Structures are given as C-alpha cells and as structure tokens.
Amino acid sequence: MNAIDGTDRHIKSTDGPPPSLLTIILDTNPFAWAHLSSTLPLSSVVANLLVFINAHLASGNANEVAVIASHNKRTAWLYPTPVSAHNTNGHISAQNGAASHTQNANKYQPFAEVETNLLSNLDDLLKTTTPDDLSTTTTQIAGALSTALSYISKSTIRHSPVDPTLLKSHAILIDDGNLTSQRINLVSRILVFSVSGDLASQYIPVMNAIFAAQRQRIPIDILKLAGDTVLLQQACDATGGIYMAPESPQGLLQYLMMAFLPDATARKSLVLPSAGSVDFRAACFCHRNVVDIGFVCSVCLSIFCSPNLQDSTCLTCSSVLSLSSALTAAPALIPRKKKKRKRAPGDGSTPGGSATPLPGNGTPMHT
Amino acid sequence: MADSDGEYIEASDDEYIGGGGSYGTRGRGKGKKGQRADGRAKNAWELSAKTGLESYRESADGTIGKSIQEREEERKRKRLRKDTKAFQRGIIRHIVLVLDLSEAMLEKDMRPNRYFTMIKYTQEYVREFFEQNPISQMCVMGMHDGICIRVSELSGNPADHISAIQGLRDPKSSTSKEPKGSPSLQNALEVSRATLYHTPSHGTREVIIVLGALLTLDPGDIHKTIKSCVQDRIRVSIIGMGGRMHICTQIVSRTNSGDESGYVVATDQELLRELLLATTTPPVIRSSAPTTDGAAVPAESAASLLQMGFPSRIVEEVPTLCACHGNLTRGGYTCSRCKAKVCSLPATCPGCHLTLILSTHLARSYHHLFPLRNWVEVSWQRAREKGSKQCLSCLSDFPEPPSSHIAHTENGAESSNGAANRTAAVAAASRNTAPKGKQKKDDGSNEDELATASESFRYECRDCKSHFCIDCDVFCHEVLHNCPGCLGGAGPRKEEGNVDTEMSG
C-alpha cells in the first residue's frame, strides 16, 4: 500500500528528535495530600508540575502533554479539557479560558493554555468532591493508567506517518497490519505522581495496564512522594521507566527536571537512576507468605505455599488438584544395552591377546 | 398534500425495513438465521463473494467514504467477537504449529505468495502467542514434500521459534526450505502426537495447521490417526486456504468433540492473519463428559498443582556464564532450588527442571480468565440521548448526530425519531442491524452477536455506559483488557447526569 499511494514521502526522516507526548497522572487522593500538607502541599506540587510541563513543551516544538487526575473515586481529565456531554458550556468555558489568557502578552501561549485549563479543571475536581466520595481511601490509578494508555494509543495513530484525515481508516489498517513499532513517530511516556499506598484491590487491572504499556513500549515513570507499593515498582521495571522516591521532597522540581525530563530518545544516551532491586517473589494466596517456590493451580493460577491443601481442592476455584499428575517428568531414556556383538570381538580381544593366532604379533616384540 | 406525503413515507418506511430483510437473504442477516436453523452456519468463504459490492453503499449523508470507514471498523471489530463469558480455559497450552510447505504455497493469491505471507504472519503470531500465553509451550513443524519436518523444538521461548521460521525462507540459511511436493496431514498429525505425548495432563495439547493445499498425500489410513489423536486428547484446528476439505472438517470435529468451528478458511491475507491471531486465545476446557467415541478418554484437563519457582533477579559485578545458553551475562535470575543462573524468564531451569516464572507472568494470563465484556454499537438515537461528544478515553470528537439536518434534506415532514429510524435503516441496510431489532437484543445477553460497525461511530460499555471510539474499543479489548470508564469511576452508579459533571470537572 505504501508503494501505491506514495506515503513514503511522509516518512522522510526529520532531523530533529520525534515529538514526545508526556502523559502525567496526578494522584489527587485527598487523604494522602492531607497527610503530606505539612511537608509538601498540593499547591506547591502543582506549581512545580507546571514548570516541569513548560520545560517539556519548551524542549520540542511538537511536544504534547496530557494530564489526568486519579482521584479517590474517579479519574478526571485535567488537560486537555474534555467537552462535556449535555451542556455545550464546555466550548464556551474553553473560549473563556482562551480569552483570559490571550490577554497576558508576556506568556507563551501554550504554557498559558495548559496552566489555565489544568488549574480550572483541578479546581472543579476538588470542588465537586463531596464527603460521600471520601469513603474510599485508595486512588483510581488503574483507571487513570487505562485512560492514559488509550489516549496515547490514539495519539500514536494520529501521528502515524499516513495522513490521518484523508486515509484515517487505512492508516489504522496499516497500523494494525505491521507492528506499530516501525511507524511510531510519537514517543510517549507516562509519569505518575504517586502518593497512595495500598493498591492491592486493583491488582489485575493495574497488571493489565502494565502489560499494555510494555507491549506499546511506553515507559511508566513513578515519582513516589508517599506510600509504598510493589505494584508500581514492578510497573517501572517491566516497562523500563524510572522509579524514584525523593528523599527531600522540597526539592521536587530538581528531581523532576533531572530525572524525568529526558524523553525516550534522550534516555538512550543517559545513565538512568536505577530502581535498585525489585521484589519479584510472589505472595501465596493462602497465608500471604512470600515464597520462592510455590505451587500453582493449573486452572486459575492461584499460588499456594504448600502442596498440602485441604481436601486437595484449590481455595480459589475449588477444583480438585492432584500433585502427582504434575510430576510427570520428561520421559526417561532407557540406558542402551551393551550389545552382544561388541562382546564377541571383546571376548577374543582380552584373553585372546596372548592366544592370538596372529603369527607376528607379540613374538617379534619380545625377541 | 402534507398528509398524503406523510402516509407515503410511512408505507415506504415499512416496506424499506421489510426490503432490508429480504436484502438480507442475499447478504448476511436473514440468510444467516435461516442457516442457523439448519444447524449449519455459512462459511466465511461462501459469504464473501457476495458481500463485495453490496456493502459499498451510500451512507445516510450520501457519501461513500463513510461507509468505507464503517467497513473498516466492522472488520476491526470482528476480532473482538469472541466469547466474553468467563469459561475455564486451558491456560497452560502445548501447541504444535504445522506449516504447509508444499507447492500449493507458491500460489500467488496472497502477495507476494502464500508462502511468504504465511512466514510473515506466523512470526507475528508466535510473538503474540507468547504475549498472551506466557507459560505455554510451542513447537513448529512443516509439511514438506510428503513428510513432516521439525522446524523448532517444543519450547517456551518465542525467539527460538521466530528465528527458526525466519530460517525457512532465508536462502542463505541451512534450514531453508522452498515449498515442494504435497503435504501429508497424517504424517503431520503423527509427528505432532509423538511430540505432545509426554506433555503433562494439566495442559492442553493442540495442533494448529496452516494448510494451503487442497489435498493430503497420506501413507496410511488417516482415520486411524484421527482416532489415536482423539484418544490422546489432542485438539486440532486447521486454517485452510482456497477451499474447504471434507477430511479437515472431520479431523477438526472429531478432535474437538463435534465442534467444527476450529476449521476455518482464509480467503485473503488479512483474514489469514486474523484467523491465526484468533487462536492465541486459550481454548475453552470442556467438561470431561464421555466423548462421542466412548473410548476411555482421560479427563481433558486434570487440574493439578504445579511446582514453580519465583526467582529473584540478581545483578553481578563480574559477568558469569548463564546456565541456559552458556553466555557471559552480568545478571539474571537464579533458580530458587538449585541456584543456576538463567538469563530470561519464563524458563525451565536447566539444572533441576523447575519451572521458573515471574508472578507477573501469571498475572498476564488473568485477562483470559476475567475477560472484558464486548462493547455494543450505539444507534444515533442512543447517542443523542446520551449526548456524548467525545470518546471518554482519548477525547477524540464523535460526529454529531444527524438530528434535524437529514430530516430537512430528505423530507421535511418527518419527526426526528422517524428520521433517525429511516436513516438508520438506510445505513443499516448493508449491515442488517435495524435499530429496532437491536434495541430488543440489547437487554438480553447477546454476547455472541455479530460485531458490526456502529452507525454513530460510538461504542458503549455495558457496565459504565460510557462511549468510546473504534480505536479505543479495539485497543481496550486487544491490548489493555481494561475499561477506562469502569475503572475510572464512571460506573452505573452515577449514570447519565453525573458523567458530564465528572468529565468536565
């Protein structure tokens, strides 16, 4: 198809680095921020974040940014602002925003646009948080990651070398056909500002998101301001992102600029902060013990720490498990029998050495 | 005048819907139903010849471009049409992939020819297969000149298989094979059977055959081979090209306890790729009821406890030799039992034969066990009701519902509702999803409904009622396996009204 419609023209390599899409997931869990308020208030984090976003936008003409809030019961877009469903006010408010920041002539327009949108959306989000919403203390990181990944995948399609407006459907078809890796023009990454700890309830969705990111080659960077999760650490490790828990969060901007600003293109030539060791051992489903060698149910893949289960049924899917059938080792090889034929000449060889009828064998040596 | 006009339209409207039905007999809709009553679904290749031109139809606003787009969407959605009920699936699979290397593969109905197409797609397939089934094993074979040759050994490392398949077509490599002679299904099945003979009973034993030829040249009685395959609980699925063969139908149906859906025919290369990729989903485990043969068939998959090691990763100062390849590496994973170092996981420890795996590999298979439900098409009417303007996850704009605009251009004296129905009927004529029927089906569990393109280019998650675009639909079902709406708290709890406040907020 390339040859036919001449799309090769578009692929003509540009000399500059490819445009980079930075998707930021801001964990806005009120509990965690309340806890952090003495050392690192949300306002200062947002201020630092805006400087960081500006730096990202400034480092490339075509760079893009998207910000998603992972609140404690829902996720919300902070930038770009979505058009709301029923009322058409979305347009108007966006225009209002545009009007307000065009007035400031001293500010680079894209910076101002991100700033006003992000701040107003964050403001709305916090205002609409009712006491009812505070019943859960976790954050919707799985939803935020899923949204971010879908957004990135769509942006990647939009940026693929084939003209998206004219040949939209075909572009997608091609994108489907050969692996996207060859055509990706957009370099994307996800940065998570994480403040919440326990994510165990979202284990499967987060894992799914991690695998999706891994497949799309999207690194997930984690900036851990509070709490501790192995899950996000694994996300970093699996996707090749940077995991960092700043020791002195007051210098947040420094951490952001030094560790997280370089995009995937630049990272190839940098020494990245290493995550240290990642704990990959599994916790068993029965006692929550961390195990080295575990026993896995072949039906539902639950992990147990000992093979002696009650009634030998799986605790999760209650299917009857047998250990013996799993122990069918590779078929053993029967050792080859000594061949009879070998014996026949052997018979003759050892004792017959002396009794050889050969005339000139031993005798000439001896004499 | 206005009155009669209205009457006329109503009559035509009815007639049109009826007409749509009769069109369907030619196309898919009704014909399909009729076939189902007979108990035999139409095969893909029987349909495609007829649906060619018919499906290029003017869409509601008279452009043909959009309906082409719809066709593409429809095509993309086809892959999503898998059963999303939570069945027990054989997560631990043992697969023999048999490639046809006979001279039939030199046919040029795929570009550049069947052989190269197959090689290209199978490489992609192997990668995808191990993405989806990280703890499974695969072996690749080829049917070449009457005999069955082994391309790669049974192993869980995708790189081995990919390089072996690559080696088939690389003229410089010693294993290079030009398509030659005839294929022999019997030989292929016998060799596969021998390969799978010692695999443990908790895993599945599957043979996937890509068959280009329309013949099989067998040295003996293939029916005996089939019988012994059934006894060894081997499941065969065949992807044919060009046409169907009776013997293949028989092989597939007998080894799958009567289910012949495993025999499919690829009419073009896109379809070949799709059909191949469709087999990456683990097969449903059937309960161990006595099969048709009455022979003492062992339970299809006896559940068992598997001993597995979860090794920790080490980083070393000095490079050491790995136990698996004998290469010098700086780090790796040490076997939890014998401390041998392997470079990558999942693997079987070369020292003590313990299965080594990361807990994340297990997690990778979870989406087969807890699949994401299919999203449904959204009619214009529903779209208007919902007022969705953007895809929830990627914020790309949806086209506006053609509310008054169409009604004005087509015939002014129609209510907007009727207009919607009518435009829907026009648009749906090629797809046979009249909105009325769909509304009815919507509340039922129509998981196996034919996935088609949505007329409003929106797709709705049944749980959180959010709307998504086609790209996100495909992405979420094929790659992500999550619904951004459900996880993002756009649950049914705060339907309709609250969604917008939330999204604007």
Side-chain angles (χ1 to χ4, degrees):
Chain A
M1 186 165 289
N2 278 349
I4 296 166
D5 61 9
T7 39
D8 284 343
R9 279 177 300 143
H10 300 276
I11 308 175
K12 187 180 62 180
S13 61
T14 47
D15 292 334
S20 157
L21 168 65
L22 171 66
T23 311
I24 297 173
I25 295 173
L26 181 63
D27 183 352
T28 53
N29 186 354
F31 292 95
W33 285 111
H35 196 253
L36 274 175
S37 57
S38 57
T39 51
L40 187 70
L42 177 60
S43 54
S44 73
V45 170
V46 171
N48 286 338
L49 176 65
L50 283 171
V51 177
F52 175 64
I53 289 175
N54 290 351
H56 170 74
L57 291 177
S59 61
N61 239 346
N63 281 4
E64 289 176 28
V65 72
V67 188
I68 301 166
S70 155
H71 210 51
N72 64 340
K73 258 199 172 169
R74 59 183 201 233
T75 59
W77 279 100
L78 295 186
Y79 181 83
T81 311
V83 181
S84 52
H86 279 294
N87 52 347
T88 45
N89 295 345
H91 262 303
I92 297 161
S93 72
Q95 279 164 3
N96 281 350
S100 66
H101 64 63
T102 41
Q103 287 162 5
N104 190 349
N106 290 326
K107 211 159 200 176
Y108 181 48
Q109 176 112 0
F111 292 177
E113 194 183 328
V114 173
E115 188 181 321
T116 39
N117 276 309
L118 194 150
L119 289 179
S120 73
N121 285 334
L122 185 62
D123 199 37
D124 283 351
L125 174 69
L126 297 182
K127 266 185 201 149
T128 51
T129 306
T130 57
D132 293 349
D133 293 343
L134 300 181
S135 51
T136 50
T137 56
T138 54
T139 185
Q140 297 294 341
I141 201 80
L145 278 174
S146 308
T147 313
L149 286 168
S150 317
Y151 182 78
I152 290 175
S153 98
K154 182 73 172 206
S155 306
T156 307
I157 293 173
R158 275 193 205 125
H159 279 82
S160 67
V162 182
D163 189 358
T165 50
L166 283 178
L167 286 163
K168 191 175 168 223
S169 47
H170 291 260
I172 297 156
L173 194 73
I174 291 165
D175 239 53
D176 264 5
N178 25 21
L179 280 178
T180 39
S181 59
Q182 303 149 11
R183 309 194 131 260
I184 280 183
N185 250 4
L186 186 72
V187 180
S188 323
R189 65 185 197 275
I190 296 176
L191 168 62
V192 183
F193 280 71
S194 170
V195 290
S196 314
D198 174 46
L199 296 173
S201 56
Q202 302 176 41
Y203 179 73
I204 291 176
V206 171
M207 274 298 170
N208 284 342
I210 292 173
F211 298 135
Q214 204 176 4
R215 266 178 79 174
Q216 310 287 94
R217 299 205 185 84
I218 299 168
I220 300 179
D221 301 334
I222 308 284
L223 182 67
K224 192 84 208 165
L225 295 171
D228 192 31
T229 55
V230 181
L231 206 52
L232 291 180
Q233 220 169 338
Q234 288 186 355
C236 273
D237 184 78
T239 57
I242 297 168
Y243 183 89
M244 201 174 247
E247 284 151 20
S248 48
Q250 287 78 12
L252 179 67
L253 187 58
Q254 185 101 12
Y255 284 103
L256 284 174
M257 290 299 199
M258 289 299 148
F260 296 106
L261 189 58
D263 64 0
T265 332
R267 281 181 194 182
K268 279 179 201 148
S269 39
L270 291 175
V271 179
L272 301 175
S274 82
S277 64
V278 183
D279 191 1
F280 275 117
R281 286 177 305 168
C284 72
F285 285 32
C286 44
H287 308 95
R288 289 273 149 211
N289 293 337
V290 175
V291 290
D292 257 354
I293 297 181
F295 295 86
V296 177
C297 167
S298 71
V299 176
C300 65
L301 303 180
S302 324
I303 305 162
F304 303 106
C305 56
S306 85
N308 304 316
L309 297 170
Q310 222 173 17
D311 305 333
S312 63
T313 52
C314 170
L315 301 178
T316 316
C317 65
S318 61
S319 46
V320 180
L321 303 173
S322 63
L323 191 60
S324 55
S325 66
L327 293 180
T328 43
L333 297 174
I334 300 171
R336 181 175 297 196
K337 271 187 195 161
K338 288 253 163 127
K339 281 181 183 164
K340 291 266 168 65
R341 221 185 299 140
K342 208 176 176 187
R343 228 185 188 181
D347 261 356
S349 72
T350 28
S354 54
T356 349
L358 290 174
N361 197 3
T363 30
M365 289 278 280
H366 279 282
T367 49
Chain B
M1 194 60 206
D3 256 351
S4 69
D5 207 354
E7 259 175 45
Y8 170 67
I9 283 159
E10 217 161 285
S12 80
D13 208 351
D14 273 353
E15 206 176 87
Y16 203 93
I17 288 170
S22 65
Y23 260 112
T25 29
R26 272 211 272 149
R28 273 184 222 168
K30 212 172 173 189
K32 188 108 190 170
K33 255 178 221 163
Q35 288 287 356
R36 279 210 185 123
D38 299 345
R40 178 179 161 270
K42 259 193 179 177
N43 298 317
W45 59 271
E46 287 175 302
L47 287 171
S48 58
K50 292 171 191 169
T51 48
L53 270 179
E54 208 163 289
S55 41
Y56 282 103
R57 205 164 271 268
E58 277 185 25
S59 70
D61 53 349
T63 54
I64 208 165
K66 235 179 198 173
S67 74
I68 292 175
Q69 190 185 343
E70 275 176 29
R71 257 170 74 83
E72 298 296 351
E73 292 199 359
E74 195 173 314
R75 176 144 208 174
K76 279 197 275 177
R77 288 205 89 212
K78 261 188 197 151
R79 259 202 74 194
L80 305 181
R81 204 186 111 223
K82 56 185 170 195
D83 240 322
T84 51
K85 265 181 224 146
F87 284 118
Q88 181 183 338
R89 289 181 185 275
I91 295 294
I92 301 166
R93 307 170 73 184
H94 301 92
I95 279 203
V96 176
L97 178 66
V98 182
L99 305 178
D100 189 351
L101 305 180
S102 70
E103 62 190 6
M105 297 306 283
L106 293 173
E107 288 276 337
K108 289 190 167 47
D109 58 348
M110 294 178 190
R111 295 287 155 187
N113 62 21
R114 285 179 181 180
Y115 181 59
F116 289 140
T117 313
M118 178 184 72
I119 298 284
K120 191 174 97 193
Y121 287 146
T122 38
Q123 289 177 36
E124 189 188 327
Y125 167 74
V126 171
R127 207 172 285 123
E128 175 76 17
F129 176 83
F130 283 104
E131 285 281 335
Q132 303 275 327
N133 308 281
I135 47 179
S136 299
Q137 308 260 316
M138 183 190 261
C139 168
V140 184
M141 295 189 184
M143 293 183 287
H144 182 253
D145 201 9
I147 58 168
C148 185
I149 54 170
R150 188 171 299 230
V151 178
S152 68
E153 294 292 330
L154 192 67
S155 89
N157 185 355
D160 292 351
H161 304 301
I162 291 173
S163 62
I165 295 172
Q166 185 79 53
L168 279 179
R169 63 163 288 188
D170 183 10
K172 283 185 283 278
S173 115
S174 57
T175 53
S176 155
K177 284 274 185 278
E178 275 297 305
K180 190 185 169 196
S182 314
S184 163
L185 285 176
Q186 191 192 8
N187 282 342
L189 288 177
E190 286 291 358
V191 179
S192 313
R193 198 163 69 89
T195 308
L196 295 174
Y197 184 73
H198 70 272
T199 57
S201 63
H202 54 77
T204 63
R205 298 173 177 176
E206 296 167 66
V207 178
I208 295 170
I209 303 178
V210 181
L211 185 67
L214 290 176
L215 59 103
T216 161
L217 194 72
D218 295 330
D221 183 4
I222 192 167
H223 294 280
K224 275 186 194 145
T225 308
I226 299 174
K227 197 170 273 175
S228 42
C229 282
V230 173
Q231 267 169 9
D232 286 349
R233 56 179 197 83
I234 288 173
R235 308 163 67 133
V236 185
S237 38
I238 301 179
I239 298 173
M241 293 175 198
R244 285 176 83 87
M245 285 205 294
H246 179 67
I247 186 68
C248 294
T249 319
Q250 225 174 4
I251 294 174
V252 172
S253 81
R254 300 231 354 236
T255 54
N256 287 287
S257 48
D259 179 15
E260 51 182 82
S261 62
Y263 181 34
V264 282
V265 174
T267 45
D268 58 10
Q269 43 190 352
E270 264 307 303
L271 191 59
L272 172 67
R273 176 174 171 274
E274 277 165 28
L275 293 175
L276 263 177
L277 291 184
T279 60
T280 56
T281 310
V284 172
I285 298 287
R286 298 191 186 85
S287 59
S288 50
T291 47
T292 47
D293 277 36
V297 179
E300 183 164 16
S301 180
S304 58
L305 269 185
L306 314 172
Q307 196 176 25
M308 288 186 182
F310 301 97
S312 18
R313 199 177 55 187
I314 50 160
V315 183
E316 295 165 314
E317 291 290 310
V318 259
T320 53
L321 292 174
C322 72
C324 41
H325 305 96
N327 293 336
L328 277 175
T329 48
R330 267 272 169 77
Y333 302 86
T334 49
C335 169
S336 349
R337 189 152 67 187
C338 68
K339 305 286 176 233
K341 191 180 86 170
V342 293
C343 359
S344 67
L345 295 182
T348 309
C349 172
C352 62
H353 291 285
L354 183 68
T355 311
L356 301 177
I357 200 168
L358 290 180
S359 50
T360 50
H361 286 125
L362 296 181
R364 197 181 277 255
S365 294
Y366 286 151
H367 72 257
H368 294 304
L369 304 172
F370 312 103
L372 180 60
R373 293 178 76 196
N374 278 345
W375 293 344
V376 292
E377 302 85 2
V378 178
S379 63
W380 281 122
Q381 199 181 341
R382 170 81 180 140
R384 208 173 295 119
E385 226 169 79
K386 193 88 165 81
S388 54
K389 291 201 173 63
Q390 283 183 328
C391 168
L392 182 80
S393 55
C394 71
L395 301 186
S396 53
D397 294 333
F398 290 135
E400 289 281 323
S403 49
S404 50
H405 171 71
I406 297 286
H408 275 299
T409 50
E410 289 204 340
N411 26 53
E414 218 174 351
S415 75
S416 75
N417 210 350
N421 260 347
R422 191 185 151 72
T423 52
V426 172
S430 59
R431 304 191 308 273
N432 303 301
T433 46
K436 279 179 191 166
K438 209 162 72 187
Q439 290 294 351
K440 219 183 290 163
K441 274 189 275 170
D442 261 353
D443 40 31
S445 60
N446 53 331
E447 302 274 354
D448 53 340
E449 183 199 348
L450 194 71
T452 51
S454 163
E455 60 181 354
S456 61
F457 304 100
R458 294 161 170 85
Y459 298 90
E460 179 175 306
C461 169
R462 271 180 261 204
D463 292 326
C464 65
K465 313 281 183 220
S466 324
H467 286 181
F468 297 92
C469 66
I470 177 70
D471 295 314
C472 290
D473 183 8
V474 173
F475 178 76
C476 287
H477 282 91
E478 283 186 3
V479 182
L480 190 58
H481 307 293
N482 280 342
C483 169
C486 300
L487 291 172
R493 161 178 60 86
K494 38 173 77 181
E495 224 194 308
E496 308 287 287
N498 277 359
V499 171
D500 48 354
T501 61
E502 172 184 317
M503 287 324 291
S504 67

